[in-house]
Amino acid sequence: MSGELKVLGACPLDCPDTCSWVVRVKDGKAVSLRGNPEHPYTRGALCVKVNRYLEHAEAPDRILYPMRRVGPKGSGRFERITWDEALDEISARLTAIIDEFGGEAIWPYQGTGTLGYIQGEVGESGRRLWNALGASRHDLNICARAGNDGLRLTNGTPSGMDPETFALSRLILLWGTNTLTSGHHLWKFVQDARKSGAHVVAIDPIRTRTAEQADEHLPIRPGTDAALALGLLHVVVEEGAEDRDYLENHTVGWDEFKAEIMKYPPSRVAEITGLPEESIRALGLRLARTRPTGIRATMGIQRHSGGGSAMRTIACIPGVTGDWRHPGGGVAYSTSASFPLYADTRDDLLPKPVRKLTMTRLADGLSNTGLPVKCLWVYGANPLGSTSDQNRIRRAMARDDLFTVVMEQFPTDTVDYADIVLPATTQIEHIDLHAGYGHMYLMWNEPAVSPPGECLSTTETFRRLARHMGLTEPALYDSDLELAAQLLDSDDPALAGITLDRLRKEGWARLAVADPFVPFTGGFPTPSGRLEFVSDRAEAAGLPRVAGYVPSMTARTPVSERGPYPLTLVTPASHTFLNTTFGNNAELRRRAKAPRVLVSERDAADRELTDGQTVRVFNAHGEFTAELEISDRVRPGVVAAPKGHWPKLSPGGGNVNAVVEERDADLGRGPVYHDNFVQISPA
């Protein structure tokens, strides 16, 4: 390749914004990357993390060749081998495992390191091969499952507002979401709304960057959001401001839900949430009087043991106020379900039904002695940095009889426990197709440069493995372009006019839906066709029939019953890392500074701790070391430690997930990263 060209692509990372980007390539080398100024959502800007993506792809610690472990598990000692040697060894080990234990002894552990339809988790890349081998099914529930399931009970789908329509909102509730850190492109639309007089409220246990920029911040007690939703609706009903026409014609179960609302007057909700009663009442009055009201709630809000119910109940608000009638009204959580693209994972290739292993219960799954996991194949994931109960995972991955393969770009903590490491491409080196979960655009990623060393894409790795194992099913060898064409081969009206040729030429295309987009104009995809305040499906599953408040573990446990661990820990997103991606970048690590824990002045004084002191944060599951920051950004009783630091690069060799219990939320077996008790003492 010679000369200079511009290549259109898309950010692959686990963020709602899924930016369109432009890579400038000169003489075969990527020399610059910027946000695509032509894209209506990206508008030319990337985040502080992705601005360093080219540096990331060319980092000196990039894994460039296949490797075999030569030291003890966890030592990170490897020797370089050829691809043929790696695939021969893998093929022999997998064949032996299948012969002795069956295919279900293989756990293909895929994460959200890339969200692509071709290379990533959205398209379940590799699933065809795993089906052909009869492997266990991987339940990728780590990100949004509890909230997704809660929204399905109310609306029938996790999808709702087009986030661009927040520009039309007149009251914006940023509920459990730090927009300026975890999806900052939405802020432009929030600012557009403000210019027209919108009032912006941040509801968050932490005074985040976003909360500081909002017109109002409600520092809610973690895990009590559903109670606040009911308290706000109590004020709406008191004011007679419910939309009775909408309730009659577009919802079911209003009388039962109204009875539940009336159990939560602002005085009671103040006791539950720790918010002033007057603040609850004032916001309830705003909600009663302001149309349209747009609610932005993202994944942090549902990472506790009542998280699914929280989203289910918040989703009821626009059903009471009738905000779904209006552009700029309703709830925006994830737009993923708006995209009618369905990967053909060829479940017919399974020789028999197989078990499902849950991503966030990795320690439990690896400890199962009934039908043991004998091969753990990790890709797009760093469970030793990102998954609950870190210490139990570490012990389980050290098993001598566990054959672990990790496909990776960098030497993560998880890589250190691999038997075979396979070098993976980055986004600028492979084809992929993306859909944002925070906007309505399909995105194409064209490779800008050749992969360095011997790095291979996820799809090519699985094609080569299939050949080494002698598999003859033609579908295992479909090219990336063939896979993309299959995804886009649809009569769904939302994909009208969107072709592979168009995407490759233009880089992106908006779904063929109305602009501005108002969801549910033709009804809700629920059994009744209406918004459901009550749910027979919930009742059949042993959940409350009526939407309501299910407190988190920490919210329902009185201080007197918390024993030696009285503080509630929340683990918010870092501004400089995305999960653990970029956790090895020297400049971003410098900006992030050392791992830290935010503690109120009162809680620090009670423990005789000082600002800047190195402390130990611990509970029965483990501990991590951090620098104490005394801050009024957290309320007494609540401490916050941002996620994303690599354990191996952190003091003490652990991060926040060392103290996160492997426990399920109320819906979808979602994780509970914001629902754990800890204590803090000097290190």
Side-chain angles (χ1 to χ4, degrees), residues 347-426:
D347 289 355
D348 60 299
L349 298 178
L350 279 168
K352 65 182 180 73
V354 296
R355 66 181 173 180
K356 182 181 287 187
L357 295 170
T358 300
M359 183 176 192
T360 55
R361 303 302 293 263
L362 178 58
D364 280 353
L366 292 180
S367 303
N368 184 340
T369 56
L371 177 54
V373 174
K374 291 293 185 177
C375 173
L376 180 69
W377 190 296
V378 181
Y379 57 119
N382 180 17
L384 270 173
S386 296
T387 308
S388 310
D389 226 334
Q390 190 172 90
N391 292 323
R392 285 184 65 218
I393 293 173
R394 195 184 301 276
R395 291 192 294 270
M397 290 189 69
R399 281 172 33 201
D400 289 334
D401 65 332
L402 178 67
F403 178 57
T404 301
V405 179
V406 180
M407 299 162 65
E408 246 299 350
Q409 301 159 356
F410 297 100
T412 64
D413 290 80
T414 303
V415 163
D416 288 348
Y417 284 80
D419 294 289
I420 299 289
V421 181
L422 300 177
T425 48
T426 65

Side-chain angles (χ1 to χ4, degrees), residues 51-98:
N51 271 327
R52 310 194 78 85
Y53 197 84
L54 296 187
E55 175 186 303
H56 175 71
E58 297 174 357
D61 57 344
R62 179 87 186 266
I63 296 171
L64 299 177
Y65 306 99
M67 299 187 296
R68 177 193 292 121
R69 179 172 58 84
V70 295
K73 289 193 175 186
S75 67
R77 289 165 49 197
F78 298 93
E79 64 179 0
R80 178 179 170 182
I81 57 176
T82 68
W83 267 102
D84 281 342
E85 288 174 317
L87 293 174
D88 284 345
E89 182 169 338
I90 291 168
S91 298
R93 293 291 297 269
L94 291 183
T95 299
I97 288 168
I98 292 168

Side-chain angles (χ1 to χ4, degrees), residues 13 47-52 56 178 180-182 209 572-594 596 642-645:
L13 300 177
C47 68
V48 66
K49 302 174 274 284
V50 176
N51 271 327
R52 310 194 78 85
H56 175 71
N178 184 5
L180 288 172
T181 283
S182 302
R209 290 170 181 260
S574 165
H575 195 71
T576 49
F577 309 138
L578 206 161
N579 301 324
T580 60
T581 301
F582 306 113
N584 59 324
N585 181 279
E587 174 58 22
L588 293 175
R589 288 181 64 211
R590 185 191 68 78
R591 295 186 189 187
K593 301 180 182 179
R596 70 189 191 281
K643 64 181 180 178
H645 289 277

Side-chain angles (χ1 to χ4, degrees), residues 13 16-17 32 55 69 93 133 141 144 162 248 263 300 310 352 433 489 545 567 586 593 612 616 641:
L13 300 177
D17 291 7
S32 71
E55 175 186 303
R69 179 172 58 84
R93 293 291 297 269
L133 297 178
N141 69 325
D162 174 357
E248 181 178 350
K263 298 175 185 177
K352 65 182 180 73
L433 176 65
D489 183 15
R545 169 179 165 79
L567 300 170
K593 301 180 182 179
R616 173 175 166 253

Side-chain angles (χ1 to χ4, degrees), residues 107-110 124 136-142 145 355-361 668-670:
W107 187 349
Y109 192 94
Q110 183 178 23
E124 297 184 78
S136 290
R137 181 158 294 177
H138 178 59
D139 181 22
L140 202 158
N141 69 325
I142 198 166
R145 180 68 62 74
R355 66 181 173 180
K356 182 181 287 187
L357 295 170
T358 300
M359 183 176 192
T360 55
R361 303 302 293 263
R669 304 198 71 183

Side-chain angles (χ1 to χ4, degrees), residues 72-405:
K73 289 193 175 186
S75 67
R77 289 165 49 197
F78 298 93
E79 64 179 0
R80 178 179 170 182
I81 57 176
T82 68
W83 267 102
D84 281 342
E85 288 174 317
L87 293 174
D88 284 345
E89 182 169 338
I90 291 168
S91 298
R93 293 291 297 269
L94 291 183
T95 299
I97 288 168
I98 292 168
D99 288 346
E100 183 174 356
F101 300 98
E104 287 179 276
I106 302 169
W107 187 349
Y109 192 94
Q110 183 178 23
T112 60
T114 171
L115 302 187
Y117 277 95
I118 309 298
Q119 310 296 343
E121 67 93 4
V122 177
E124 297 184 78
S125 180
R127 174 84 170 271
R128 291 182 182 184
L129 173 63
W130 302 126
N131 284 339
L133 297 178
S136 290
R137 181 158 294 177
H138 178 59
D139 181 22
L140 202 158
N141 69 325
I142 198 166
C143 185
R145 180 68 62 74
N148 282 345
D149 286 2
L151 283 159
R152 286 190 181 98
L153 290 176
T154 300
N155 294 337
T157 175
S159 286
M161 292 174 65
D162 174 357
E164 290 186 57
T165 62
F166 276 99
L168 305 173
S169 304
R170 292 298 169 264
L171 173 61
I172 296 175
L173 306 184
L174 299 174
W175 206 322
T177 183
N178 184 5
T179 302
L180 288 172
T181 283
S182 302
H184 72 91
H185 293 81
L186 179 68
W187 194 252
K188 297 168 185 173
F189 299 96
V190 172
Q191 292 291 68
D192 289 343
R194 271 180 149 169
K195 291 173 185 175
S196 298
H199 185 78
V200 179
V201 182
I203 303 169
D204 199 300
I206 307 169
R207 195 175 76 247
T208 62
R209 290 170 181 260
T210 303
E212 288 177 339
Q213 295 298 316
D215 299 306
E216 184 178 353
H217 172 218
L218 298 184
I220 192 169
R221 183 174 291 137
T224 64
D225 303 276
L228 177 59
L230 294 167
L232 297 177
L233 288 175
H234 191 285
V235 178
V236 171
V237 173
E238 276 187 336
E239 293 292 303
E242 67 271 27
D243 188 327
R244 296 175 188 176
D245 176 74
Y246 195 86
L247 289 167
E248 181 178 350
N249 292 299
H250 301 283
T251 72
V252 294
W254 168 236
D255 288 341
E256 291 176 72
F257 185 53
K258 181 180 179 181
E260 190 69 19
I261 289 169
M262 300 318 291
K263 298 175 185 177
Y264 289 85
S267 57
R268 181 188 178 195
V269 173
E271 294 176 0
I272 294 170
T273 63
L275 298 172
E277 180 180 347
E278 55 270 25
S279 297
I280 298 167
R281 188 170 296 281
L283 183 56
L285 289 172
R286 279 191 185 275
L287 177 64
R289 297 167 183 172
T290 311
R291 307 277 74 76
T293 289
I295 301 171
R296 175 61 164 167
T298 52
M299 289 67 212
I301 201 173
Q302 44 93 66
R303 290 182 177 146
H304 63 80
S305 53
S309 294
M311 279 311 308
R312 178 188 178 190
T313 303
I314 289 169
C316 293
I317 292 174
V320 177
T321 60
D323 272 297
W324 285 124
R325 296 181 186 276
H326 313 290
V331 176
Y333 179 70
S334 170
T335 59
S336 293
S338 297
F339 293 87
L341 276 70
Y342 307 101
D344 183 2
T345 54
R346 293 298 305 274
D347 289 355
D348 60 299
L349 298 178
L350 279 168
K352 65 182 180 73
V354 296
R355 66 181 173 180
K356 182 181 287 187
L357 295 170
T358 300
M359 183 176 192
T360 55
R361 303 302 293 263
L362 178 58
D364 280 353
L366 292 180
S367 303
N368 184 340
T369 56
L371 177 54
V373 174
K374 291 293 185 177
C375 173
L376 180 69
W377 190 296
V378 181
Y379 57 119
N382 180 17
L384 270 173
S386 296
T387 308
S388 310
D389 226 334
Q390 190 172 90
N391 292 323
R392 285 184 65 218
I393 293 173
R394 195 184 301 276
R395 291 192 294 270
M397 290 189 69
R399 281 172 33 201
D400 289 334
D401 65 332
L402 178 67
F403 178 57
T404 301
V405 179

Side-chain angles (χ1 to χ4, degrees), residues 76 99 145 214 274 339 403 498 508 566 571-572 624 631 682:
D99 288 346
R145 180 68 62 74
F339 293 87
F403 178 57
I498 301 177
W508 55 272
T571 62
F624 67 95
S631 175

Side-chain angles (χ1 to χ4, degrees), residues 395-465:
R395 291 192 294 270
M397 290 189 69
R399 281 172 33 201
D400 289 334
D401 65 332
L402 178 67
F403 178 57
T404 301
V405 179
V406 180
M407 299 162 65
E408 246 299 350
Q409 301 159 356
F410 297 100
T412 64
D413 290 80
T414 303
V415 163
D416 288 348
Y417 284 80
D419 294 289
I420 299 289
V421 181
L422 300 177
T425 48
T426 65
Q427 186 76 345
I428 60 172
E429 300 150 7
H430 57 227
I431 280 174
D432 216 336
L433 176 65
H434 290 263
Y437 65 88
H439 57 62
M440 306 290 279
Y441 298 90
L442 270 177
M443 324 279 284
W444 180 256
N445 186 78
E446 191 74 18
V449 295
S450 299
E454 296 177 4
C455 296
L456 294 180
S457 68
T458 303
T459 48
E460 180 58 21
T461 297
F462 289 137
R463 285 189 285 261
R464 292 193 185 189
L465 178 59

